[in-house]
């Protein structure tokens, strides 16, 4: 038994699994395109502070991406899961993109990389925002990666209305050499993105978003929607031009959105598929056979863990993601760039361990238990 702290201030006993979940399917994914937004592994030996540039353990970071590719998933690089704008600055993100793109080429892995404006560190006008986007787009395209045009805090601050979004995104799409993925990240993930697309009214914002896509359908591979609103995503994907895909970024409703309905389905670009990679890939391979019930039976039980990791304040979900990577043996420590390992409470982390262990996510349950015990001991929970 392991003693876990609860939100009520008490301690409860939990009996960990002794065997991992055994997955039976193998091979490439065929019915859905699935990206995992991957985390970065910090260098625990670096003498840094929360305000310092990120110190990254490149070997462990790239090894985790090879793990994702080995499961049949694509890697969505330098996204918010990688602490983009929350400890990882543009210099670090650029190096991450270069290294991951080279690694993807060496193993034949699918990769798409985030393009933003985070080199801007103060107030900026629309011309400066456009130049920043252009710089990052050029770098991503130079590496041979697909570009993901991320939502920009600087654009949200500088834009005066929908016409500014239409103009700037239109310019970028005309300039892009290959079709991109447009990313709509809601304010629950980043409060600075409130009112994106020119309105706090989501219906009005949706119309502007669709206007951007309809004006350049040949330059939009797909859209990633991270609003945690399944109804809105379904309505939006039904209105997309033919050939434009919807990649769900909804970490609360992903099984139903990926499964789809008689009018279509969503592909996936999800942060939760970082810890869920083997199980998520297994579920999609089941879906590839046409077995929707089997897909849901595998993936539905993971939603409790995802909802827990992404609970308010949602932007700190990365802490639980990195905890699970450490417990699963993908890295040797529970340290994050910017010191964000402290962003969630001990009861939150304990519940994340319990839910992940119950799903059989840990390849070595005994290792996960030992590491969790060591963390609890450091925090003063006797074992």
């Amino acid at each position: 038994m392991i003693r876990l702290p609860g939100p009520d201030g008490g301690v409860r006993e939990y009996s960990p699994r002794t065997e991992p979940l055994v997955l039976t399917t193998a091979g490439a994914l065929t019915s859905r395109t699935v990206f995992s937004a991957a985390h970065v592994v910090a260098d625990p030996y670096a003498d840094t502070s929360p305000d310092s540039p990120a110190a990254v353990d490149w070997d462990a970071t790239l090894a985790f991406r090879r793990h994702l590719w080995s499961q049949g998933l694509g890697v969505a690089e330098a996204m918010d899961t990688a602490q983009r704008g929350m400890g990882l600055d543009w210099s670090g993100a650029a190096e991450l993109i270069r290294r991951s793109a080279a690694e993807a080429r060496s193993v034949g892995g699918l990769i798409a990389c985030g393009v933003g404006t985070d080199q801007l560190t103060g107030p900026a006008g629309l011309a400066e925002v456009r130049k920043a986007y252009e710089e990052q787009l050029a770098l991503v395209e130079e590496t041979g990666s697909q570009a993901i045009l991320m939502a920009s805090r600087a654009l949200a601050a500088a834009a005066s209305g929908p016409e500014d979004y239409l103009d700037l995104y239109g310019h970028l799409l005309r300039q892009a050499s290959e079709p991109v993925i447009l990313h709509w990240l809601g304010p629950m993930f980043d409060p600075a993105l409130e009112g994106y697309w020119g309105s706090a009214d989501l219906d009005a914002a949706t119309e502007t978003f669709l206007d951007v896509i309809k004006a350049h359908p040949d330059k939009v591979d797909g859209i990633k929607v991270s609003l945690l609103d399944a109804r809105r995503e379904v309505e939006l994907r039904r209105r997309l031009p033919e050939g434009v895909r919807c990649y769900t970024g909804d970490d609360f409703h992903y099984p139903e959105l990926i499964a789809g309905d008689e009018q279509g389905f969503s592909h996936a670009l999800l942060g939760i598929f970082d810890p869920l990679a083997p199980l998520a890939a297994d579920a999609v391979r089941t879906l590839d056979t046409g077995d929707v019930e089997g897909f849901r039976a595998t993936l539905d039980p993971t939603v409790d863990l995802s909802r827990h990791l992404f609970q308010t304040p949602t932007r700190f979900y990365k802490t639980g993601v990195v905890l699970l990577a450490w417990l699963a043996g993908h890295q040797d420590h529970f340290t994050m760039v910017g010191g964000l390992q402290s962003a969630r409470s001990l009861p939150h982390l304990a519940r994340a361990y319990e839910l992940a262990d119950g799903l059989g996510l840990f390849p070595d349950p005994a290792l996960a238990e030992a590491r969790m015990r060591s963390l609890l001991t450091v925090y003063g929970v006797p074992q």
Side-chain angles (χ1 to χ4, degrees), residues 110-268:
L110 179 65
I111 188 168
C113 299
V115 169
T117 63
D118 45 329
Q119 66 270 58
L120 300 173
T121 57
L126 290 172
E128 293 169 293
V129 172
R130 186 175 78 176
K131 184 178 179 181
Y133 263 128
E134 289 173 339
E135 176 190 354
Q136 296 199 15
L137 178 61
L139 183 143
V140 168
E141 292 190 333
E142 285 169 7
T143 69
S145 302
Q146 184 177 21
I148 303 170
L149 292 186
M150 301 169 66
S152 163
R153 295 173 180 173
L155 178 55
S160 58
E163 63 283 351
D164 288 334
Y165 290 88
L166 291 166
D167 180 67
L168 192 147
Y169 274 92
H171 174 84
L172 294 173
L173 290 172
R174 286 190 296 271
Q175 186 172 319
S177 60
E178 299 291 340
V180 307
I181 298 172
L182 295 180
H183 186 190
W184 186 356
L185 188 70
M188 68 290 294
F189 290 93
D190 187 342
L193 298 177
E194 183 71 44
Y196 211 73
W197 304 111
S199 178
D201 182 316
L202 289 180
D203 290 334
T206 296
E207 295 306 318
T208 302
F209 187 44
L210 285 168
D211 286 344
V212 169
I213 298 163
K214 290 174 181 177
H216 306 277
D218 59 322
K219 288 297 187 73
V220 181
D221 164 67
I223 62 170
K224 169 177 158 56
V225 186
S226 300
L227 298 175
L228 304 183
D229 184 332
R231 177 195 60 80
R232 185 170 295 278
E233 179 174 323
V234 170
E235 292 176 354
L236 178 56
R237 80 183 182 202
R238 289 175 178 172
R239 297 179 63 190
L240 292 175
E242 185 176 357
V244 177
R245 295 189 268 194
C246 181
Y247 294 90
T248 187
D250 189 329
D251 300 278
F252 285 2
H253 308 99
Y254 51 92
E256 65 196 75
L257 291 165
I258 297 170
D261 55 30
E262 66 283 352
Q263 297 186 52
F265 57 83
S266 295
H267 300 271

Side-chain angles (χ1 to χ4, degrees), residues 73-88:
L73 304 182
V75 169
E77 190 55 276
M79 304 295 289
D80 56 292
T81 305
Q83 294 181 243
R84 188 84 180 262
M86 292 183 67
L88 187 71

